[in-house]
Amino acid sequence: WSAFEKQQLEALALGFLTLRGQGMGALSAYWGLWLVPLGILVYRSGFLPRIIGVFLVVAGGAYVVSTVTYFFFPAYYRLVFYMVTAPAAALGEIGFTGWLLIKGVGSGRAEAS
């Protein structure tokens, strides 16, 4: 690193931080695509309330919309994230985790099949 000047090192650090942010933006599409099948499974299984499955599917769609906004309409990304993605993720992901932690999976439904 001694071959670089201080300004070059700062430019490299800023470039890598920007690249990391873009990578995290791209990864959020995969987070959303993961939530859609999970939501469908929750909805169809009957082990958890179906509304949680609906919230998970909506959260998955919100993550994908957020990713598209991040790359194609960056000026509106914060608005979309805080108005759409954050509430949908709170209802879907936090609701799913909270239900499993507090209530748990209902017993006896698995033997019915």
Side-chain angles (χ1 to χ4, degrees):
W1 296 111
S2 63
F4 296 106
E5 295 179 12
K6 184 178 180 191
Q7 292 82 12
Q8 291 174 322
L9 290 173
E10 290 173 356
L12 276 171
L14 183 62
F16 284 129
L17 286 173
T18 303
L19 185 62
R20 179 201 175 271
Q22 291 177 349
M24 294 299 284
L27 278 175
S28 67
Y30 290 109
W31 298 331
L33 293 175
W34 152 247
L35 287 177
V36 171
L38 177 66
I40 292 170
L41 286 172
V42 167
Y43 184 82
R44 293 173 126 192
S45 72
F47 284 113
L48 299 170
R50 290 187 171 192
I51 191 71
I52 292 177
V54 172
F55 287 151
L56 285 169
V57 171
V58 170
Y63 272 119
V64 173
V65 168
S66 175
T67 301
V68 170
T69 306
Y70 180 79
F71 286 109
F72 294 112
F73 308 104
Y76 298 106
Y77 172 70
R78 287 186 184 264
L79 176 71
V80 168
F81 182 80
Y82 289 115
M83 298 300 280
V84 177
T85 307
L91 288 173
E93 293 178 279
I94 297 173
F96 176 72
T97 306
W99 184 272
L100 289 177
L101 286 174
I102 296 169
K103 187 82 169 170
V105 176
S107 62
R109 293 186 187 171
E111 290 112 23
S113 60

